[in-house]
């Protein structure tokens, strides 16, 4: 009587189902989506407006603030989207839906991948929105061409992935929606302590040292390179390495924290 | 070969609180087993351990032949679970939830589609299948919950307080569902409840749990008979009163009754009633009215714990 | 308040983070041509704005509480008691002011420890505290009006990003003289820019009655408009209740 169905690609289908469920919820509850689109658009408008003249300083390598700030806004949006998988899980844990998922015979790694996949899909939306605003209304330029755009999307996806793994870990530990606030504070701090808004040459004091060793700085540079000039392997490689290490590290962290919610 | 549900000295503590205190269980294949107890007796904790959701502090349990700790995955493949607070995403439709559940359990797409339609029909939600769960009534949610737990045709079905908060009509409808499942497919059902009637109606065997311990176990009728003999009350014409009283005295001790009525404690138990009536007929005594009063499960509970289950709860 | 660190911790944390990050990231910005105060550190430049930002982030609390009272109908009970009607409003406004004072004191102390330099000394610090607390009350009165109108915590909380927008499109973190185009034009006409510029005058150049009176004047004007709207909404709610 036992029905141990074995479907080819079960893991893939489960991952797909999680992504689908997340996107469907977003469609039905637009208030979930609004902040993740509006905030990064506001960021790019505000940062390139407020700090319009700052690019005249040494090290920025562009004469338009929007060229510098678009990547920063995209990655902020991607980090916000990274909260998505964590937010969904925190809600599920609080209302008990997570127990239903746990009684299903699925591998925790598959579950985590599905949730992160949802965050990644989410990240594409604000990224595109910011690019549209930057290029259509703020006069951004992309000397790096198509490759530059590819770099933007790769870094945004990477950023969403490791932020999402990180947030999931926090959610598994605290098992509450409130814990998202903690995750946000950590997220924001690590992002701000980087070359997000100013190049290393312009940063003075302790922050210079911190921004230099902050792996997120490499990801930001990879994302930004096409706006400032040619896309080069020299700038791409450290970004990719940092990104992959962050994804691997946070994935392990999330998997370890998962033990807090399952036997 | 192990029974579908077995537990040995299963315990769980939360800090100082002992929620489940060394329970032993054995539920046979095809049985409907009721777990009866008041709020906070440890029912849900026990179910959460048996369904791999909670780690036992000590003791062992096997469900569908696999250990809940060391082979949780194998257990999960074979059980269906409907938890107390019907945990359902209100933004999804009934159909979508069933589809998600099918994917989680690795049911091939084509088979899943047929099965979901079938299940919706079984629980009477075909028309509501494409509506968001948020718009469902309490009874509809419970029925959907039941359907969800059945998607993968589980060997063992766990129902944690399936009818708490439901109106009487929905309650009876859900009982019918569970009975049908058990009789037609032979699914083993483990159900917790705080309602005496539910345990009585559905379960072939029950365990009464109080403060984390099992205080009584057995079939409802046997348990009730253990508490005391059922009371048989008979009305006869006045002329036959004394003769009837003498006849009935052979079958049990006299019990207080209103004027004109004879009451005895039926020593042979419920089944003894035919013998008594036959004896009266043999003496040409015309019986006008018969009443058999069994001890209730509440009496069983009171006998075991010194407290009453009903009354505290507005069941 | 002590039991709910999540309600006030972010409003202290974010201004401090921004101040720390901006003062080292844009430390060289003071060298830009046209920068209004070329001789000061960037931390000194953004100090008043960071205090104001922190206080404004906290200014939603009082209105959120009020909306909460309406939501759980504590307000109805209050209205059915012989509590005088205006005192309902006055208590909320006073709490916004005191709360702002409390936050400003903490923020200024922390900035002072980390080497901020207040040109005007104690009088400037006191003036900064007073102006920011008054501003907290002024902005709070608008939020209270919204709370009275909608009676929904969610709506009040959703106005939070709007405060952020007002702060950003102003001279808070960068001088408007160095902004361009339409963005600079909006920033120039943002009343918050005037408040910040005059307050900054007090902390950077030293205490002057002229700047103080101008800053207090504009904040008072904002407060008067806000309180008037709030009174109107309170009257409407009272009329609906009776």
């Amino acid at each position: 009587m036992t029905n141990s169905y074995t479907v080819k690609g079960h893991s893939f289908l489960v991952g797909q189902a999680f992504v689908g469920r997340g996107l469907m919820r977003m469609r039905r509850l637009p208030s979930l989506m609004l902040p993740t689109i509006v905030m990064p658009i506001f960021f790019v408008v505000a940062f390139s407006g407020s700090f319009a003249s700052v690019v005249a300083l040494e090290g920025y390598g562009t004469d338009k603030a929007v060229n510098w700030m678009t990547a920063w806004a995209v990655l902020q949006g991607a980090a916000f989207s990274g909260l998505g998988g964590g937010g969904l899980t925190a809600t599920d844990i609080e209302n008990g839906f997570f127990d239903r998922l746990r009684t299903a015979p699925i591998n925790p790694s598959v579950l985590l991948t599905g949730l992160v996949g949802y965050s990644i899909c989410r990240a594409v939306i604000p990224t595109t929105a910011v690019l549209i605003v930057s290029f259509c209304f703020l006069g951004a330029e992309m000397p790096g061409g198509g490759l530059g755009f590819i770099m933007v999307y790769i870094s945004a996806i990477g950023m969403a992935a490791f932020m999402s793994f990180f947030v999931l870990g926090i959610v598994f530990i605290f098992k509450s929606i409130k814990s998202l606030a903690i995750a946000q504070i950590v997220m924001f701090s690590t992002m701000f302590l980087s070359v997000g808004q100013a190049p290393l040459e312009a940063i003075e004091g302790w922050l210079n040292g911190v921004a230099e060793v902050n792996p997120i700085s490499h990801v930001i540079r990879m994302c930004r390179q096409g706006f400032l000039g040619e896309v080069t392997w020299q700038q791409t490689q450290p970004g990719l390495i940092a990104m992959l290490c962050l994804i691997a590290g946070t994935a392990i962290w999330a998997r370890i924290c998962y033990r807090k919610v399952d036997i | 070969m192990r029974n579908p549900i077995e537990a040995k000295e299963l315990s769980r503590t939360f800090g100082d609180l002992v929620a489940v205190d060394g329970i032993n269980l054995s539920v046979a294949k095809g049985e409907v087993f009721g777990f009866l107890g008041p709020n906070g007796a440890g029912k849900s904790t026990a179910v959460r351990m048996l369904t791999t959701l909670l780690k036992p502090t000590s003791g062992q349990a096997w469900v569908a032949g696999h250990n809940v700790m060391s082979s949780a995955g194998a257990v999960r493949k074979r059980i269906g679970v409907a938890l107390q607070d019907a945990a359902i995403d209100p933004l999804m439709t009934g159909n979508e939830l069933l589809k998600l559940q099918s994917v989680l359990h690795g049911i091939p797409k084509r088979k899943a589609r047929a099965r979901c339609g079938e299940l919706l029909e079984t629980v009477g939600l075909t028309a509501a299948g494409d509506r968001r769960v948020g718009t469902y009534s309490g009874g509809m949610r419970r029925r959907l919950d039941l359907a969800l737990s059945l998607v993968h045709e589980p060997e063992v079905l766990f129902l944690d307080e399936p009818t708490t908060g439901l109106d009487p009509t929905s309650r009876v409808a859900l009982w019918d569902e569970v009975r049908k499942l058990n009789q037609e497919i032979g699914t083993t059902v483990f159900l917790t409840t705080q309602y005496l009637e539910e345990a009585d109606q559905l379960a072939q065997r029950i365990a009464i749990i109080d403060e984390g311990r099992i205080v009584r176990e057995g079939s409802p009728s046997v348990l009730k008979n253990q508490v005391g003999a059922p009371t048989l009350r008979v009305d006869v014409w006045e002329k036959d009163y004394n003769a009837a009283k003498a006849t009935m005295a052979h079958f049990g001790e006299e019990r207080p009754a209103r004027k004109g009525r004879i009451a005895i404690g039926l020593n042979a138990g419920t089944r003894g009633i035919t013998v008594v009536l036959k004896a009266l007929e043999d003496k040409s005594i015309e019986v006008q009215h018969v009443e058999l009063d069994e001890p209730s499960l509440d009496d069983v509970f009171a006998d075991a714990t010194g407290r009453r289950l009903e009354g505290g709860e507005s069941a | 308040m002590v039991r709910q660190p999540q309600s006030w911790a972010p409003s202290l944390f974010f201004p401090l983070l921004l101040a720390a990050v901006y003062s080292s990231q844009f430390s060289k910005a003071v060298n830009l041509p046209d920068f209004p105060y070329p001789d000061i550190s960037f931390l000194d430049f953004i100090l008043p704005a960071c205090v104001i930002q922190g206080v404004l982030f906290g200014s939603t609390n009082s209105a959120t509480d009020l909306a909460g009272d309406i939501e759980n109908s504590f307000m109805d009970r209050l209205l059915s008691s012989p509590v005088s009607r205006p005192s309902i409003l006055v208590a909320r406004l006073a709490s916004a002011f005191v709360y702002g004072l409390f936050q400003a004191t903490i923020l200024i102390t922390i900035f002072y420890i980390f080497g901020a330099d207040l040109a005007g000394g104690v009088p400037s610090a006191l003036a900064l505290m007073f102006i920011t607390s008054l501003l907290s009350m002024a902005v709070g009165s608008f939020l209270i009006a919204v709370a009275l109108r909608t009676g929904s915590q969610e709506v009040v909380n959703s106005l939070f990003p709007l405060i952020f927008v007002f702060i950003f499109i102003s001279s808070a973190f960068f001088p408007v003289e160095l902004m361009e185009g339409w963005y600079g034009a909006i920033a120039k006409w943002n009343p918050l820019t005037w408040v910040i510029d005059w307050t900054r005058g007090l902390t950077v150049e030293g205490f002057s009655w002229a700047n103080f009176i101008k800053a207090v004047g504009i904040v008072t004007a904002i407060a008067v408009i806000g309180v008037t709207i709030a009174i109107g909404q309170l009257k409407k709610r009272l009329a609906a209740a009776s």
Side-chain angles (χ1 to χ4, degrees), chain A residues 23-231:
Chain A
L23 294 176
M24 177 274 299
R25 278 176 61 89
M26 231 160 61
R27 242 192 353 266
R28 294 189 187 161
L29 207 67
S31 62
L32 275 176
M33 194 58 216
L34 216 62
T36 54
I37 298 180
V38 174
M39 282 302 273
I41 289 181
F42 173 71
F43 279 148
V44 73
V45 173
F47 283 114
S48 22
S50 286
F51 306 121
S53 321
V54 88
V55 288
L57 293 170
E58 184 199 351
Y60 281 85
T62 179
D63 54 359
K64 268 189 177 174
V66 65
N67 289 340
W68 182 263
M69 295 298 177
T70 300
W72 174 233
V74 161
L75 293 179
Q76 291 234 327
F80 255 115
S81 308
L83 278 173
L88 180 59
T89 308
T91 315
D92 284 347
I93 289 178
E94 282 204 350
N95 67 23
F97 192 78
F98 198 70
D99 282 341
R100 179 182 300 285
L101 300 179
R102 283 173 56 211
T103 55
I106 44 172
N107 189 320
S109 306
V110 173
L111 181 121
L112 288 172
T113 313
L115 291 166
V116 169
Y118 160 53
S119 298
I120 289 174
C121 291
R122 254 178 96 143
V124 172
I125 302 169
T127 301
T128 309
V130 167
L131 287 177
I132 290 173
V133 171
S134 287
F135 282 90
C136 297
F137 301 102
L138 303 173
E141 299 148 316
M142 182 69 88
L147 216 48
F149 283 106
I150 292 172
M151 287 299 139
V152 171
Y153 278 97
I154 290 178
S155 356
I157 285 169
M159 178 71 98
F162 66 73
M163 283 298 185
S164 191
F165 275 129
F166 165 73
V167 175
L168 280 168
I170 298 274
V171 167
F172 291 145
I173 292 176
F174 294 100
K175 306 182 186 73
S176 75
I177 297 177
K178 267 188 188 154
S179 64
L180 291 177
I182 303 172
Q184 258 191 66
I185 287 184
V186 179
M187 243 169 66
F188 262 107
S189 312
T190 48
M191 286 202 72
F192 269 76
L193 306 179
S194 70
V195 296
Q197 293 173 92
L200 222 43
E201 291 90 328
I203 304 175
E204 284 186 337
W206 60 276
L207 186 60
N208 186 292
V210 174
E212 191 173 3
V213 296
N214 187 347
I216 291 180
S217 288
H218 295 297
V219 181
I220 297 174
R221 281 198 204 100
M222 168 168 81
C223 178
R224 182 141 59 201
Q225 54 178 321
F227 292 95
L228 309 179
E230 289 292 311
V231 172

Side-chain angles (χ1 to χ4, degrees), chain B residues 8-315:
Chain B
K8 290 228 154 44
E9 292 300 320
L10 196 63
S11 300
R12 174 73 202 200
T13 53
F14 296 100
D16 288 341
L17 177 83
V18 185
V20 172
D21 192 1
I23 60 171
N24 292 295
L25 282 172
S26 180
V27 177
K29 199 166 170 45
E31 202 171 17
V32 178
F33 187 83
F35 215 39
L36 177 71
N39 267 333
K43 300 186 300 277
S44 289
T45 308
V47 169
R48 289 177 70 81
M49 286 194 280
L50 292 174
T51 54
T52 76
L53 288 173
L54 190 70
K55 231 186 260 187
T57 316
S58 65
Q60 293 287 334
W62 295 264
V63 172
H66 297 268
N67 189 289
V68 293
M69 296 269 280
S70 53
S71 0
V75 173
R76 288 172 185 186
K77 230 179 242 169
R78 293 169 176 82
I79 60 170
V81 185
L83 288 172
Q84 192 172 349
D85 309 299
I88 298 181
D89 185 343
L91 288 177
M92 295 173 80
T93 68
N95 253 327
E96 286 167 345
L97 275 161
L98 280 165
K99 230 164 70 192
L100 176 67
Q101 193 82 356
S102 316
V103 172
L104 294 182
H105 282 278
I107 301 169
K109 215 170 186 176
R110 189 171 312 155
K111 186 170 165 81
R113 197 174 306 145
R115 177 108 185 107
C116 293
E118 212 175 280
L119 280 171
L120 278 177
E121 202 182 310
T122 311
V123 297
L125 287 174
T126 309
D130 288 321
R131 262 168 53 196
R132 287 190 202 176
V133 176
T135 66
Y136 283 20
S137 70
M140 291 166 82
R141 276 180 202 222
R142 288 301 167 90
R143 267 153 40 211
L144 177 64
D145 208 17
L146 185 65
L148 285 170
S149 60
L150 294 174
V151 165
H152 53 296
E153 297 171 39
E155 288 171 51
V156 185
L157 180 64
F158 288 89
L159 303 171
D160 191 12
E161 308 219 355
T163 64
T164 299
L166 291 193
D167 60 87
T169 322
S170 314
R171 188 174 294 173
V172 172
L174 207 111
W175 289 350
D176 286 342
E177 246 8 282
V178 175
R179 256 186 226 118
K180 210 165 76 188
L181 262 169
N182 175 250
Q183 282 159 10
E184 289 176 10
I185 311 172
T187 311
T188 308
V189 180
F190 185 99
L191 125 133
T192 77
T193 184
Q194 46 178 314
Y195 300 133
L196 299 161
E197 200 194 346
E198 190 159 284
D200 224 350
Q201 288 270 334
L202 276 181
Q204 287 134 23
R205 219 149 54 81
I206 64 165
I208 294 179
I209 182 169
D210 188 46
E211 289 172 349
R213 288 203 190 89
I214 292 182
V215 289
R216 286 287 187 281
E217 195 186 333
S219 82
S221 57
V222 168
L223 285 179
K224 285 185 260 187
N225 282 335
Q226 277 170 3
V227 179
T231 307
L232 176 69
R233 296 191 189 89
V234 172
D235 287 2
V236 290
W237 298 112
E238 214 183 320
K239 63 177 170 67
D240 296 331
Y241 182 80
N242 287 330
K245 199 167 174 173
T247 310
M248 283 172 68
H250 297 296
F251 300 97
E253 188 180 318
E254 191 184 339
R255 288 191 175 167
R258 70 169 160 80
K259 203 167 175 283
R261 175 171 282 187
I262 308 156
I264 58 163
L266 202 52
N267 285 341
T270 315
R271 264 165 286 166
I273 185 169
T274 44
V275 188
V276 179
L277 293 178
K278 182 83 178 21
L280 290 171
E281 202 189 329
D282 289 348
K283 297 238 156 78
S284 308
I285 298 168
E286 194 183 335
V287 175
Q288 288 189 292
H289 178 87
V290 182
E291 248 179 54
L292 186 68
D293 223 6
E294 281 196 287
S296 69
L297 278 177
D298 200 21
D299 296 325
V300 178
F301 184 79
D303 185 51
T305 66
R307 283 175 290 122
R308 295 236 156 229
L309 193 56
E310 219 119 80
E313 282 296 326
S314 53

